Amino acid sequence: MKEKSIKEPIRKKWIWVFMVLLVMAVVPWYFPSTAVEPFILGFPLWAFISLIFSIALCGYLSWLCRTQWNLVEDEEESERMKEER
């Protein structure tokens, strides 16, 4: 059985910095209030950019969960389940 190292992503600052940047980019506060042109695929530019950053945020969170999360509780829970059998 392959031994995994325990990772706690809450302690990694780069994860939080990148997440804050993505969340700030999702809300298009940096566009002027009159920016409704041009349209891309039927959406105003600000809505299209918000959609792209939302998808990027979802992908980033999925990647974090798949690769950066390996907590002690998961291993303890699996050991407890084995003992109960």
Side-chain angles (χ1 to χ4, degrees), residues 23-85:
V23 168
M24 287 178 62
V26 166
V27 181
W29 54 270
Y30 42 86
F31 277 100
S33 61
T34 58
V36 293
E37 300 283 337
F39 287 94
I40 300 173
L41 299 174
F43 292 102
L45 177 62
W46 64 268
F48 187 75
I49 288 176
S50 183
L51 176 70
I52 295 299
F53 279 112
S54 295
I55 292 169
L57 180 62
C58 291
Y60 178 66
L61 291 174
S62 296
W63 175 79
L64 280 177
C65 289
R66 301 271 303 159
T67 63
Q68 300 298 311
W69 237 283
N70 185 15
L71 301 178
V72 175
E73 290 85 11
D74 295 337
E75 293 178 8
E76 290 174 347
E77 184 69 23
S78 66
E79 287 177 11
R80 187 177 64 82
M81 293 299 282
K82 288 179 184 176
E83 290 174 359
E84 288 179 0
R85 290 183 190 173

Side-chain angles (χ1 to χ4, degrees), residues 15-32:
I15 288 176
W16 295 105
V17 169
F18 197 68
M19 188 174 312
V20 165
L21 290 175
L22 278 175
V23 168
M24 287 178 62
V26 166
V27 181
W29 54 270
Y30 42 86
F31 277 100

